Amino acid sequence: MYIKKFLIFLLLLNCSVIWGMDKKIILQKVFNNFSKIRTIKAQISQIVIEKNIKKQYKGLYQASNNGNFRVDYYSPERHILICSSNKIEWYFPKENILYLLSRLQVKSMDTYKRLKSISNLSSRKNIIIQYLGVHLIGLFQSAYLFKIINNRSKSKTLIWVHTKKYVILKRIVKNYKGYEIIKESYGSYKKINKIYVPSIINILARTKEGIIQNITYYKRIALNIHIHSSVYNNT
């Protein structure tokens, strides 16, 4: 009897959250939230797990909506990562070593810019968006589920969107062979200046060397404060 009542509750939940709601409006609400972020500054703690080896890093993260970002790591050792329009550098002052990186190598680190890009998929060419209804994440968290098909790369992406806050909760990317290559979850959203931002981001990526997991915790988050352009020019 309890199971039957619970299933009826889920059915009513699905009907109530989607009643009168256009799927295009859902994605637009998601994009509107993240598009309000012009700059972000936060203390971060990162846990990176690769080949069963766990490493932890702490630092200061700063980013602007033009794609520039900077991370000043201070633990376990000091090093600086800067990505700007004209250079990508990773500097280790103790050894006085400077690495020049490609944008592909650091693209996944600019999390908030990626969130904005994901939520604006409907404006891209060669993209098909399918609405798959309301699904549960956990026991009681409902989410709108979308499937995005890239006709060019033949990849498929699943995106779960919070039914009340209209933020991304989870994303899974599969390549043209159907293999899962990226899995992301966004949690512990905080409302700052009427903008929802995740304070915990968990990313698993399949690479040639194996699966890499990156868990980032954001604390003391400040949005839309002035960040001088020189921040992205000087190491």
Side-chain angles (χ1 to χ4, degrees), residues 71-217:
V71 186
D72 289 82
Y73 292 99
Y74 52 79
S75 177
E77 64 174 322
R78 183 169 177 259
H79 54 282
I80 302 166
L81 174 65
I82 292 180
C83 177
S84 64
S85 58
N86 57 0
K87 65 178 180 179
I88 301 173
E89 299 179 349
W90 205 323
Y91 178 59
F92 293 79
K94 185 177 180 179
E95 296 84 2
N96 196 26
I97 297 176
L98 176 66
Y99 294 98
L100 299 178
L101 306 176
S102 69
R103 280 194 171 272
L104 185 62
Q105 289 173 286
V106 296
K107 184 178 180 181
S108 62
M109 298 186 67
D110 192 2
T111 303
Y112 282 92
K113 189 172 188 299
R114 186 170 69 255
L115 275 171
K116 180 180 176 182
S117 177
I118 293 170
S119 63
N120 197 29
L121 284 170
S122 58
S123 65
R124 298 184 186 179
K125 297 180 179 179
N126 302 310
I127 293 292
I128 297 175
I129 299 178
Q130 298 176 353
Y131 174 67
L132 302 182
V134 178
H135 294 251
L136 286 180
I137 295 182
L139 286 177
F140 298 106
Q141 177 60 66
S142 58
Y144 300 118
L145 178 58
F146 291 89
K147 183 178 182 180
I148 291 90
I149 303 173
N150 189 318
N151 284 332
R152 180 175 296 177
S153 65
K154 305 303 179 184
S155 65
K156 295 181 175 69
T157 302
L158 294 174
I159 296 178
W160 287 258
V161 176
H162 197 288
T163 55
K164 294 182 179 179
K165 297 179 181 178
Y166 300 103
V167 294
I168 296 173
L169 296 174
K170 186 178 178 181
R171 183 176 82 120
I172 293 177
V173 180
K174 297 182 179 181
N175 64 13
Y176 70 98
K177 293 183 178 180
Y179 295 123
E180 189 175 296
I181 56 175
I182 298 175
K183 184 177 182 179
E184 303 169 346
S185 62
Y186 302 87
S188 297
Y189 273 87
K190 299 181 182 297
K191 194 173 185 179
I192 303 172
N193 300 334
K194 298 182 179 180
I195 304 171
Y196 287 107
V197 291
S199 62
I200 301 176
I201 298 173
N202 187 357
I203 301 174
L204 288 93
R206 188 185 304 273
T207 69
K208 293 180 179 179
E209 290 74 28
I211 296 176
I212 300 176
Q213 183 175 12
N214 187 324
I215 308 170
T216 305
Y217 300 87

